[in-house]
Amino acid sequence: MHPERTELTELVLDVVDQVPPGRATTYALVAEAVRARTGHGHARHVGAVMATYGAEVPWWRVVRADGTLPRPLRERAMAHYREEGTPLSPFVPGRVELRHALWDAPTCWEAPAGVRPADA
DNA sequence: GTGCTGACACAGG
DNA sequence: ACCTGTGCCAGCA
């Protein structure tokens, strides 16, 4: 079959789909995970993919490096965060507390035997 | 090929 | 916390 979606798109969606409920990752980290497989990929492209195909995956679990999302998206993500119990900043409404919620895909996948990221 | 756009990141102000 | 400018690079006109 002829992929309408590029390889990059498929990989991005695949990665985002694996972020567990109640946790979140960033555009840059998703890009890093994709880059580990394909050799290329950039946070900006992850955003581009999400803008088009985001509805197919738990898009609210991918946030900016500072834990926020653009205005309109932030509003819609709130319901999901509340339902999943995603850690949010007590000071900035709608901002994910990455300190507690971050899910680092690359380290989870690439961790060689015996080497594990220090988790909470 | 050229040029603009963007659900980003980062440094400044 | 907000906004601005710069770097980034795949997709699209």
Side-chain angles (χ1 to χ4, degrees):
Chain A
M1 47 219 258
H2 48 148
E4 281 207 12
R5 308 156 149 192
T6 63
E7 177 186 14
L8 182 65
T9 297
E10 291 293 343
L11 264 313
V12 168
L13 296 179
D14 187 48
V15 172
V16 175
D17 202 45
Q18 300 189 44
V19 181
R23 310 285 302 276
T25 189
T26 70
Y27 292 92
L29 285 172
V30 172
E32 193 178 320
V34 170
R35 197 162 52 240
R37 289 184 172 185
T38 67
H40 56 85
H42 188 277
R44 213 123 202 214
H45 307 144
V46 174
V49 170
M50 294 301 282
T52 306
Y53 304 99
E56 301 178 19
V57 292
W59 55 265
W60 57 92
R61 296 176 196 155
V62 184
V63 298
R64 287 175 177 162
D66 67 354
T68 67
L69 277 175
R71 203 54 153 80
L73 295 176
R74 182 178 84 66
E75 302 299 325
R76 270 178 262 151
M78 280 308 299
H80 292 290
Y81 293 152
R82 200 159 55 92
E83 189 178 289
E84 298 182 359
T86 305
L88 299 176
S89 164
F91 293 101
V92 186
R95 172 173 161 173
V96 174
E97 191 67 75
L98 288 177
R99 201 169 92 143
H100 301 302
L102 184 63
W103 184 78
D104 192 340
T107 50
C108 288
W109 293 353
E110 295 187 77
V115 181
R116 281 180 168 282
D119 68 89

